[in-house]
């Protein structure tokens, strides 16, 4: 390990994932302020909601580090969840650094890069579990943890100014069913060497006790599934391969063949098989094939547990799935939790299934059919006890999670706690940890395949139109500004009733537009801009009177 010069600093800079759950994008920098080298840890996405109509995928804004792209030594991925790797295919062209990942994560990422046509360009270096990656002043050791996906890694990042334990997502699962248990020895060894800072998962900081084990889920699911008649569907996260494996084993015990329904289910199964998991299970049925089996001999493992509208389960609930149908006497097990924000779509989905006569089994009425992948308070306490960091840096949480995590670490006698927001540059050493700078951070929206700023014009207009409707006004003028035809008015997304029918409303709006045009003075009548502004203003004002709202008004002037 080289020694540090007096000018050297070690900094931690989250550009995503701090003050939110999702979109993890963390940077570590080493060197003097004018010559830092960087590593990126994780590059994930978050998802849109009803406030972002038409936008499903949201990325962290990489502008700050893009300007220092040639100083990025590597992008290290902790595990294959979307909130940790989902943005790589979008943002790699701006960063262009080599990517390091363990085999399962590398497999999942390669599929994404292939779709983005980047597979030949991006360099993925596969790091075996438990191996080390040397990147300039950063010596990184992968530490095997347990979570809700194969191959979750914590990173021990050793630098000349001290070591950081970057946990990534984790829990302590004594029996994860697939993959190794938490490498407690490696964490304790690091603790013995001395840990400067621990950058740690805060998702379940409000939950007492422990998250529980995948082995317990198997014990619960097995008798439950064996006892069910009719068709059985199980919804879970495709990336939870241990769960997929448990459900498949329960299905086999019940004399049912498993049919994977949904693209991400089949993709994750392929990724799992590529690293030697799920080898001894009977082959999965194709959707089409499953139709020839009697109901009690099939189990459908479905995507869509969060009520995602285009996922398999939503289509089954709508009765529009081409190969799978559920009805009276059938069962749907939700082996998943409700992610905050998804309550309404999940409830709608469950209501539709219930309406078809499907019996629903959820975590609420059947405790133990799901466990979380994130550490609860007793597990956090264990981790602090093993690693013994000088500084606690909570991440992977909303503001309230991060602050609660700080208080929790304080109670555990961790000397210093600091909870940065995205864009806060935290100096970890030398000296006391402190926020020394604030750099640009934010979000980029994937809108119809185009990357747009989060407050971009297109989405603003769309939102405005969604709430207020649209009115279009068109008029044809001759060279001197005399009306040849129109104004013609159309309204979209605006209600009318028998007392004031649509034709009358449109006539009145057209009159307002015409009068506004008539009021224009000589030279303004020759300027299209002035005409458009005048007509649009008049129509907005009239709309306000008619509907009490201001629709998007689009005016067109044609000259002949
Ligand atoms: Zn995560
Ligand atoms: Zn995760």
């Amino acid at each position: 390990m080289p020694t540090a010069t007096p000018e050297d600093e070690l900094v931690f800079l989250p550009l995503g994932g701090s003050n939110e759950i999702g979109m993890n994008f963390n940077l570590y920098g080493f060197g003097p302020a004018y010559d830092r080298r960087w590593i990126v840890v994780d590059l994930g996405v978050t998802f849109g909601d009803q406030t972002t109509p038409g936008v499903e995928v949201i990325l962290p804004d990489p502008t700050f580090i893009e300007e220092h792209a040639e100083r990025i030594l590597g992008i290290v991925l902790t595990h294959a969840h979307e909130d940790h790797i989902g943005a790589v295919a979008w943002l790699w062209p701006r960063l262009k650094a080599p990517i390091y990942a363990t085999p399962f994560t590398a497999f999942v990422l390669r599929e994404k890069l292939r779709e983005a046509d980047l597979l030949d360009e991006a360099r993925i270096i596969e790091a075996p579990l438990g191996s080390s990656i040397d990147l300039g002043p950063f010596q990184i050791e992968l530490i095997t943890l347990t979570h809700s996906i194969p191959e979750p890694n914590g990173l021990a990042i050793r630098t000349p100014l001290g070591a950081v334990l970057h946990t990534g997502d984790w829990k302590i699962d004594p029996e994860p069913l697939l993959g190794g248990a938490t490498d407690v020895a490696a964490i304790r060894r690091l603790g013995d060497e001395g840990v400067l800072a621990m950058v740690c998962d805060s998702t379940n900081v409000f939950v007492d006790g422990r998250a529980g084990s995948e082995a317990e889920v198997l014990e619960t699911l097995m008798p439950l599934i064996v006892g069910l008649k009719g068709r059985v569907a199980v919804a879970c996260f495709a990336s939870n391969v241990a769960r997929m494996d448990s459900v498949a084993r329960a299905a086999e015990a019940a004399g049912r063949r498993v049919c994977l329904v949904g693209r991400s289910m089949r993709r994750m199964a392929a990724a799992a098989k590529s690293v030697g998991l799920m080898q001894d299970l009977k082959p999965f049925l194709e959707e089409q094939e499953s139709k020839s089996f009697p109901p009690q001999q099939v189990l459908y493992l479905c995507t869509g547990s969060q009520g995602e509208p285009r996922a398999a389960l939503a289509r089954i609930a709508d009765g529009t799935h081409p190969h799978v149908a559920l009805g009276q006497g059938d069962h749907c097990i939700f082996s998943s939790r409700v992610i905050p924000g998804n309550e309404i779509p999940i409830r709608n989905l469950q209501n539709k299934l219930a309406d078809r006569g499907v019996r629903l089994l959820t975590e609420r009425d059947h405790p133990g059919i799901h466990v979380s992948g994130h550490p609860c308070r007793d597990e956090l306490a264990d981790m602090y006890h093993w690693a013994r960091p000088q500084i606690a840096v909570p991440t992977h949480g909303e503001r309230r999670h991060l602050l609660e995590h700080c208080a929790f670490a304080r109670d555990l006698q961790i000397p210093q706690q600091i909870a940065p927001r995205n864009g806060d540059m935290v100096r970890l050493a030398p000296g006391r940890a402190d926020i020394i700078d604030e750099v640009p951070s934010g979000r980029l929206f994937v809108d119809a395949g185009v990357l747009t700023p989060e407050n971009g014009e297109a989405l603003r207009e769309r939102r405005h139109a969604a709430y207020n409707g649209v009115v279009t006004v068109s008029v044809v003028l001759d060279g001197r500004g005399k009306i040849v035809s129109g104004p013609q008015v159309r309204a979209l997304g605006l209600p009318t009733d028998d007392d004031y029918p649509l034709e009358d409303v449109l006539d009145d709006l057209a009159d307002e537009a015409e009068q506004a045009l008539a009021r224009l003075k000589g030279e303004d009548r020759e300027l299209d801009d002035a005409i458009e502004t005048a007509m649009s203003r008049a129509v907005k004002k009239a709309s306000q009177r008619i509907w009490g709202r201001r629709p998007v008004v689009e005016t067109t002037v044609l000259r002949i």
Side-chain angles (χ1 to χ4, degrees):
M1 177 80 57
T3 49
T5 71
E7 281 184 297
D8 283 341
E9 288 176 328
L10 170 62
V11 299
F12 169 64
L13 171 60
L15 289 178
S18 287
N19 270 15
E20 63 192 331
I21 294 180
M23 206 177 86
N24 297 284
F25 185 20
N26 300 292
L27 301 169
Y28 291 90
F30 188 91
Y34 53 85
D35 187 26
R36 288 198 179 100
R37 307 284 133 166
W38 297 94
I39 56 168
V40 172
V41 177
D42 291 336
L43 187 46
V45 295
T46 194
F47 297 100
D49 55 24
Q50 56 271 45
T51 66
T52 59
V55 174
E56 285 176 17
V57 175
I58 298 174
L59 317 172
D61 185 344
T63 305
F64 167 79
I65 195 62
E66 192 179 350
E67 286 163 10
H68 306 281
E70 73 295 343
R71 292 167 183 277
I72 305 174
L73 302 170
I75 299 168
V76 185
L77 303 175
T78 61
H79 65 290
H81 274 149
E82 284 293 308
D83 60 321
H84 296 258
I85 70 164
V88 175
W90 291 101
L91 298 180
W92 186 85
R94 301 196 187 180
L95 306 179
K96 297 217 160 103
I99 304 162
Y100 296 84
T102 56
F104 178 83
T105 305
F107 185 98
V108 177
L109 182 65
R110 265 189 222 108
E111 295 300 307
K112 291 171 176 292
L113 291 173
R114 196 189 321 274
E115 274 179 15
D117 220 4
L118 286 169
L119 199 53
D120 293 338
E121 224 186 309
R123 203 168 135 231
I124 302 180
I125 297 132
E126 234 178 76
L129 293 167
S131 66
S132 293
I133 303 161
D134 280 0
L135 296 173
F138 304 96
Q139 290 181 5
I140 302 165
E141 179 193 347
L142 301 179
I143 297 181
T144 293
L145 301 178
T146 53
H147 182 36
S148 47
I149 191 167
E151 300 183 3
N153 300 284
L155 309 180
I157 306 170
R158 296 178 173 90
T159 78
L161 283 172
V164 176
L165 175 56
H166 183 101
T167 66
D169 294 1
W170 63 281
K171 71 193 264 189
I172 301 170
D173 190 337
E175 282 183 86
L177 300 183
L178 300 183
T182 309
D183 190 350
V184 181
I187 303 167
R188 279 186 194 273
R189 202 160 52 235
L190 187 68
D192 291 342
E193 280 172 39
V195 173
L196 174 68
M198 183 160 92
V199 176
C200 183
D201 184 346
S202 309
T203 315
N204 277 342
V205 71
F206 288 104
V207 185
D208 285 326
R210 294 175 179 275
S213 171
E214 282 298 328
E216 295 160 19
V217 178
L218 175 59
E219 270 171 39
T220 313
L221 282 177
M222 182 69 84
L224 186 66
I225 289 174
V226 168
L228 293 178
K229 304 224 166 9
R231 289 187 187 81
V232 174
V234 179
C236 72
F237 285 114
S239 55
N240 193 335
V241 174
R243 191 71 52 83
M244 205 191 289
D245 186 86
S246 291
V247 171
R249 278 173 212 289
E252 287 186 7
R256 292 174 186 266
R257 293 283 299 277
V258 175
C259 173
L260 302 182
V261 194
R263 200 166 73 118
S264 55
M265 219 34 107
R266 292 189 291 272
R267 271 184 172 191
M268 279 295 169
K273 287 191 171 158
S274 82
V275 295
L277 301 173
M278 300 205 301
Q279 300 285 359
D280 58 334
L281 294 172
K282 286 207 183 98
F284 297 127
L285 295 180
E286 296 292 324
E287 289 175 13
Q288 186 114 35
E289 214 183 339
S290 73
K291 288 200 280 195
S292 60
F293 281 73
Q296 66 280 6
Q297 287 181 19
V298 188
L299 180 143
Y300 300 102
L301 198 42
C302 307
T303 57
S305 67
Q306 298 305 305
E308 303 92 322
R310 289 207 302 268
L313 200 55
R315 290 159 69 198
I316 294 170
D318 283 333
T320 57
H321 196 282
H323 306 300
V324 183
L326 294 180
Q328 197 67 42
D330 297 338
H331 299 83
C332 183
I333 301 176
F334 283 77
S335 183
S336 56
R337 77 177 188 121
V338 176
I339 291 185
N342 295 341
E343 293 84 353
I344 295 171
I346 293 174
R347 208 163 56 211
N348 290 344
L349 170 74
Q350 293 183 340
N351 280 326
K352 283 185 198 165
L353 287 167
D355 207 17
R356 293 185 170 273
V358 178
R359 190 174 148 232
L360 306 172
L361 297 90
T362 70
E363 199 186 9
R364 275 173 73 181
D365 38 78
H366 289 79
I369 59 176
H370 175 67
V371 290
S372 169
H374 297 274
C376 302
R377 288 168 85 92
D378 288 357
E379 293 158 280
L380 286 168
D382 282 350
M383 188 60 96
Y384 277 104
H385 183 68
W386 297 331
R388 289 154 281 154
Q390 293 299 303
I391 312 162
V393 187
T395 181
H396 209 284
E398 296 170 9
R399 195 73 199 144
R400 63 197 176 92
H401 297 97
L402 304 190
L403 295 178
E404 177 65 20
H405 192 156
C406 281
F408 185 73
R410 198 177 308 125
D411 288 348
L412 292 172
Q413 317 296 326
I414 305 303
Q416 215 193 328
Q417 314 85 34
I418 193 161
R421 295 173 159 83
N422 292 335
D424 285 347
M425 190 186 288
V426 182
R427 186 193 58 217
L428 297 171
R432 237 182 112 70
D434 203 4
I435 294 171
I436 55 168
D437 199 1
E438 199 190 318
V439 311
S441 67
R443 314 196 301 165
L444 298 176
F445 289 166
V446 180
D447 194 358
V450 179
L451 290 193
T452 62
E454 63 183 311
N455 291 314
E457 185 65 17
L459 182 64
R460 243 200 359 250
E461 276 180 1
R462 205 153 67 229
R463 237 186 242 137
H464 186 171
Y467 285 109
N468 299 292
V470 179
V471 174
T472 62
V473 185
S474 44
V475 65
V476 183
L477 304 177
D478 67 12
R480 297 194 321 267
K482 254 189 78 183
I483 294 178
V484 179
S485 162
Q488 196 176 53
V489 179
R490 295 244 160 92
L492 285 172
L494 286 154
T496 53
D497 61 19
D498 291 346
D499 294 342
Y500 192 11
L502 183 64
E503 311 86 85
D504 294 356
V505 171
L506 298 182
D507 278 352
D508 289 350
L509 289 174
D511 284 348
E512 296 284 349
E514 191 172 343
Q515 285 166 29
L517 181 60
R519 284 194 295 269
L520 283 179
K521 300 275 177 312
E523 64 269 30
D524 275 352
R525 293 190 75 123
E526 276 152 41
L527 299 171
D528 288 0
D529 279 356
I531 295 168
E532 284 175 11
T533 308
M535 292 200 305
S536 151
R537 225 177 255 157
V539 169
K540 273 186 188 153
K541 214 169 139 199
S543 301
Q544 178 76 39
R545 198 183 61 235
I546 298 167
W547 290 292
R549 55 174 75 153
R550 292 172 77 80
V552 174
V553 177
E554 195 55 40
T555 41
T556 316
V557 176
L558 293 170
R559 299 271 184 181
I560 53 164

